[in-house]
Amino acid sequence: MDTTLQDPLVGQVLDGRYRVEARIAVGGMATVYRAVDTRLDRVLALKVMHQSLASDAAFVDRFIREAKSVARLAHANVVGVYDQGTDGAHVYLAMEYVAGCTLRDVLRERGALQPRAALDILEPVLAALGAAHRAGFVHRDMKPENVLIGDDGRVKVADFGLVRAVDTNTSASTGSVLGTVSYLAPEQIEHGTADTRADVYACGVVLYEMLTGSKPHGGSTPAQVLYQHLHEDVPPPSVAAPEVAPELDALVASAAARDVSLRPADAVALLGQVRTARAALTDAQLDAVPPQAHEDAPGDGSEDRTAVIPRPAGAAAASARDELHHTSRLDLPADPPGPRPRRRMPRRGVVTIVAAVLLALGIGAGVWYISAGQFTNVPSVLKMTRSDAEKKLHSAGLDVKVVQDYSDVVDKNKVISTKPGVGERIRSTGTVTIHVSQGPPRAEVPNVVGRPLTEAKQKIADAGLRVGTVTRSFSTETPRNAVLSTTPGPDAVRRPDTAVNIVVSKGEPIDIPDLIGDDPADARSELRDAGFKVEFAERRAFSDEDRGTVAAQSPGEGTKGAKGDTVTLTLSKGQQMIEVPDVEGDKVDDAKRKLEDAGFTVNVDKPLLFPGDTVKDQSVSGGDKAPKGSEITITVKGGVF
C-alpha cells in the first residue's frame, strides 16, 4: 500500500534547500526519500534518521564525523554523499540518487543468477570496497540490500560508515554484536572485531547466494545461524547448483574461509582472484543455467531492513526469523545471576529426578548417535597440498581417495575440490575423494607431416587442438595435398584448443606459358597438356589483341603453378574506339587536357622558331574515332602569324 501521502515529511523543504518529493524505502534506522536540491536543481536521495537515533547527541556527533569521512570516498561504484545536516529534529544525509533496484530485489525476482551475471555484479562491488579498504574504511554490513543496480546497469555500494556509527552507539556493553546475521564473519561474532576481511567474508556469502539462490547458513533463530558461522564452513556452491564450476567453488571457499588468515587480505586481493577465476572459465561455464529459485517464507519486507534490535532473555521465538536479515544488535546471554536460597527437596524426590534425568540422557544419547553421532562434516582441505590434505582427513577418521585433474587456477599437487564437498555430512568412517591438480591442462601436437590434409585435421582435433591457418607451398618431394609442416611442430606441448597452422604441398612447380594473343582453343590445349585446368572469364575485355584471342591470363606468364591449378583466360573485344575531341584553335594546355581526359596520349608538334600557344591542326580530326590510348599529335601555330 502506498503511504506516501501519510508521511509528514513529503512536500516539506529541509534546511531551506531539499524538497522532499516521495518516500522510497523505510529501514530500521532511517527513511529514504527522493528529493530535489532546489539550489542545484538535481534529484538526489535523502536519508533521514529515525527520531530514536537522532535524539541521541553522541550518535549524531559520531554520524556526522563518519559522513564527512565517507564523503571523501570518491569512486564510480560507491553511492556518493553530497551533504549532511540537521533541520530541527531531522538528521539527514543527501546522497546520490540511483534509479533502479537492489541486488536483493533481483534475487527475490530471479533466484540464482548465471555465473557471468554474478561476477558482473561482484566485480564492481569489490572495486568499490577495494577503494574503501585502501582508504581505511570497513563497510561492516555488506549484503544484497546495500548493492544498488541502476537502470543503466551501473552497480554501486551504499551505506558506507553508517554501521560503524551505529556500532559505536549501540555496543556499549560487551555482550552485543552488530550486523546482519546471515553475513557476519566468525570473528565479528566471537570477538566483536571487523577489519577488511570481514567485508571479504560477506562478499563470499553474497557470491554463494547469487550462484545458488539461497544463503549458505539457515536456521529458524539467529543463534542457529551464528553457530553455523562459527563451526561450519560455507559449502561449495556446486552442492546446491551442480553446474557451478570448480573455480567458483574455490573462490567462495577462499573468500568465506572461517579462519580469517586464509582469506584474501582485502577486496582488492579478492578482486584479483575473481578476475583470474573468470579468465579460466569457458563461455559455457559462465552461462551455465542456474538452479530453480528457493522460495522463502512470505513476508512484508521487514526482514531486509536495517534495524537496531535488542534481544532480551526470553524474547519470543516468532520474531527470530526477522532478525536473520536485519542489521541488528544481538545481545549475547548475560552471566547467570548469583545463587538464591532454595527449599531443600526431599531425598526421595531427588533420587526420582536423577533417575529420570539419567534415563532421558541415555535415550537422548542413543538418538543422537543414530541421527548425528556416527556422522561428521568434511573438513576444508581446498588448496592444501596432497599430503597435508590426506593427513587432515585421516586425522578426522576418514579414508581418502585421490583423483588427478588438470586445473588452470589451482597450483600443481594442491587440492581442487572434494567429494563430498567441504562441510557436507559423511559417516565418520567414510571415504572422501580429493581431486588434486596436475597443473594447467596440456595437449601434444601430433606428427602429421606427410599425411593427407583431411587426416591431419582429424588427428589435430583428436589431440584437443584446433586447426589454424592452412597455407600451400610447392614441393618436389611431398605429394600434392600432403602436409609439409606444422606450427607448432610435432610433439610440442601446448594448452588445449591452441591453433596449429598447417603448410600443405602444392606438388612440383610448373611454368605457366605465355598465352596472350593465342587462339582460345590452342591456349586451352596447351594448358591442359601442362596439367592445368582452364576457365574463361564471363566478360571479354578491350585490348590491343585481335578480337576473340586471349587478351589476359591469371596467373600471368612467368609464374609457377601446380598440377591441377586453374588458369583463367580473358578474351579480347578488340581495341576500344572512342570519339576524338575537336581541339583546333584551342590553347595548347586546354587541348592536351581535353584529349587526355578522353583517354588519348598527346604529342605536341611545335615550330623551332617563334612557337605560339594555339593549336593549328590535329592528327585525327575532331569527331572521328581512334583506339583508346592511341597517340594524337597536335600542331602549334608559329608566333609570327
Side-chain angles (χ1 to χ4, degrees):
M1 180 177 65
D2 185 3
T3 57
T4 301
L5 295 177
Q6 301 175 14
D7 193 307
L9 268 184
V10 174
Q12 291 192 30
V13 178
L14 292 186
D15 254 3
R17 176 173 182 176
Y18 301 111
R19 185 176 67 249
V20 180
E21 293 196 330
R23 190 170 70 190
I24 299 173
V26 179
M29 290 186 290
T31 302
V32 182
Y33 300 90
R34 187 180 73 249
V36 174
D37 183 345
T38 58
R39 192 175 302 168
L40 299 178
D41 193 24
R42 66 175 173 184
V43 177
L44 46 75
L46 212 60
K47 176 167 283 191
V48 181
M49 298 298 106
H50 290 336
Q51 296 294 320
S52 59
L53 293 174
S55 61
D56 188 324
F59 166 72
V60 173
D61 290 343
R62 178 69 179 181
F63 178 74
I64 291 172
R65 289 197 299 272
E66 291 299 326
K68 289 179 179 178
S69 298
V70 177
R72 295 196 296 269
L73 185 59
H75 190 275
N77 300 114
V78 174
V79 174
V81 176
Y82 300 147
D83 190 14
Q84 173 279 324
T86 59
D87 184 347
H90 302 300
V91 179
Y92 67 85
L93 277 181
M95 305 182 301
E96 176 184 4
Y97 176 71
V98 180
C101 62
T102 69
L103 176 56
R104 173 65 66 207
D105 297 329
V106 175
L107 293 175
R108 282 177 179 153
E109 180 179 348
R110 296 177 51 184
L113 307 179
Q114 289 182 311
R116 187 189 302 277
L119 296 180
D120 285 345
I121 293 171
L122 182 62
E123 287 190 19
V125 168
L126 292 176
L129 288 174
H133 290 173
R134 294 300 165 91
F137 291 100
V138 179
H139 191 289
R140 301 184 183 213
D141 194 28
M142 270 310 305
K143 56 183 178 179
E145 285 78 9
N146 286 333
V147 178
L148 307 185
I149 303 174
D151 292 337
D152 57 359
R154 291 181 302 163
V155 176
K156 289 179 177 282
V157 177
D159 279 359
F160 275 98
L162 182 59
V163 172
R164 184 176 176 187
V166 177
D167 192 24
T168 303
N169 189 57
T170 60
S171 299
S173 66
T174 59
S176 63
V177 58
L178 183 87
T180 305
V181 174
S182 295
Y183 306 93
L184 282 174
E187 65 272 15
Q188 289 177 280
I189 302 167
E190 192 168 13
H191 306 296
T193 59
D195 62 10
T196 55
R197 292 168 295 182
D199 287 349
V200 168
Y201 181 90
C203 287
V205 176
V206 170
L207 176 58
Y208 178 96
E209 192 171 354
M210 287 194 288
L211 294 173
T212 66
S214 61
K215 300 180 180 67
H217 299 317
S220 59
T221 67
Q224 292 175 345
V225 179
L226 294 176
Y227 180 88
Q228 291 176 64
H229 279 299
L230 288 172
H231 300 286
E232 297 181 13
D233 291 324
V234 171
S238 60
V239 174
E243 297 300 320
V244 171
E247 291 83 356
L248 296 176
D249 280 347
L251 195 60
V252 171
S254 175
R258 280 188 293 150
D259 186 342
V260 67
S261 65
L262 298 180
R263 292 180 219 148
D266 58 18
V268 176
L270 179 57
L271 179 59
Q273 290 187 8
V274 169
R275 289 174 174 168
T276 300
R278 179 192 278 265
L281 298 177
T282 64
D283 285 340
Q285 289 172 317
L286 287 168
D287 296 325
V289 177
Q292 294 296 318
H294 299 281
E295 294 293 337
D296 290 334
D300 61 359
S302 61
E303 67 273 13
D304 299 322
R305 296 175 184 168
T306 302
V308 179
I309 305 174
R311 295 183 62 234
S319 65
R321 181 183 174 276
D322 285 346
E323 296 180 12
L324 298 180
H325 309 291
H326 288 175
T327 298
S328 310
R329 179 173 65 86
L330 304 179
D331 296 331
L332 302 179
D335 292 336
R340 295 187 304 175
R342 295 185 300 174
R343 292 183 301 170
R344 290 180 59 87
M345 183 176 292
R347 180 180 179 85
R348 191 172 185 178
V350 172
V351 172
T352 302
I353 291 174
V354 169
V357 169
L358 290 175
L359 178 61
L361 288 175
I363 295 173
V367 173
W368 171 82
Y369 180 77
I370 293 171
S371 62
Q374 59 181 321
F375 293 94
T376 186
N377 293 323
V378 177
S380 176
V381 293
L382 300 181
K383 294 188 179 180
M384 285 187 179
T385 62
R386 173 179 173 176
S387 59
D388 289 344
E390 287 179 319
K391 288 178 183 177
K392 186 170 182 178
L393 291 169
H394 285 315
S395 66
L398 300 169
D399 291 330
V400 180
K401 178 182 177 181
V402 178
V403 175
Q404 299 284 343
D405 279 334
Y406 291 107
S407 174
D408 286 319
V409 296
V410 178
D411 294 338
K412 188 175 182 179
N413 202 39
K414 291 191 175 181
V415 177
I416 304 170
S417 62
T418 65
K419 187 175 181 180
V422 173
E424 288 191 52
R425 197 166 76 153
I426 185 175
R427 290 188 180 274
S428 302
T429 57
T431 299
V432 176
T433 301
I434 60 173
H435 293 257
V436 178
S437 173
Q438 299 183 65
R442 293 289 183 264
E444 188 174 293
V445 179
N447 186 358
V448 294
V449 174
R451 303 274 187 177
L453 177 59
T454 53
E455 181 183 342
K457 287 182 175 180
Q458 186 60 51
K459 284 185 173 294
I460 289 170
D462 291 344
L465 303 163
R466 60 183 173 85
V467 176
T469 59
V470 178
T471 56
R472 297 181 178 270
S473 180
F474 293 112
S475 173
T476 57
E477 299 178 354
T478 304
R480 177 179 172 84
N481 286 329
V483 176
L484 282 173
S485 63
T486 62
T487 304
D491 302 326
V493 176
R494 294 291 186 271
R495 291 176 62 87
D497 202 41
T498 298
V500 178
N501 299 324
I502 303 176
V503 179
V504 180
S505 172
K506 295 171 66 174
E508 188 173 352
I510 305 172
D511 290 330
I512 296 178
D514 181 9
L515 305 169
I516 303 300
D518 288 3
D519 179 79
D522 294 340
R524 180 193 288 112
S525 178
E526 187 174 354
L527 287 170
R528 287 179 174 174
D529 290 345
F532 296 106
K533 296 178 182 178
V534 183
E535 284 186 357
F536 288 95
E538 292 184 3
R539 296 185 178 182
R540 300 190 175 196
F542 290 109
S543 77
D544 292 335
E545 304 301 326
D546 292 340
R547 183 181 180 84
T549 61
V550 176
Q553 65 182 75
S554 178
E557 178 265 339
T559 58
K560 302 284 187 181
K563 188 174 183 179
D565 285 354
T566 298
V567 178
T568 302
L569 302 177
T570 302
L571 301 183
S572 174
K573 293 169 64 175
Q575 293 181 319
Q576 182 179 5
M577 304 298 289
I578 57 177
E579 185 176 325
V580 178
D582 184 1
V583 297
E584 290 185 14
D586 291 353
K587 299 293 184 181
V588 173
D589 290 341
D590 294 339
K592 284 183 64 178
R593 185 174 63 255
K594 286 182 181 180
L595 292 168
E596 288 172 349
D597 290 346
F600 299 103
T601 60
V602 181
N603 177 43
V604 180
D605 183 13
K606 295 182 179 181
L608 295 176
L609 298 175
F610 310 111
D613 63 350
T614 304
V615 176
K616 179 176 69 174
D617 195 12
Q618 59 189 86
S619 59
V620 179
S621 299
D624 291 346
K625 291 188 176 181
K628 185 177 182 179
S630 60
E631 183 178 88
I632 305 294
T633 300
I634 57 175
T635 304
V636 181
K637 291 181 179 181
V640 298
F641 299 103

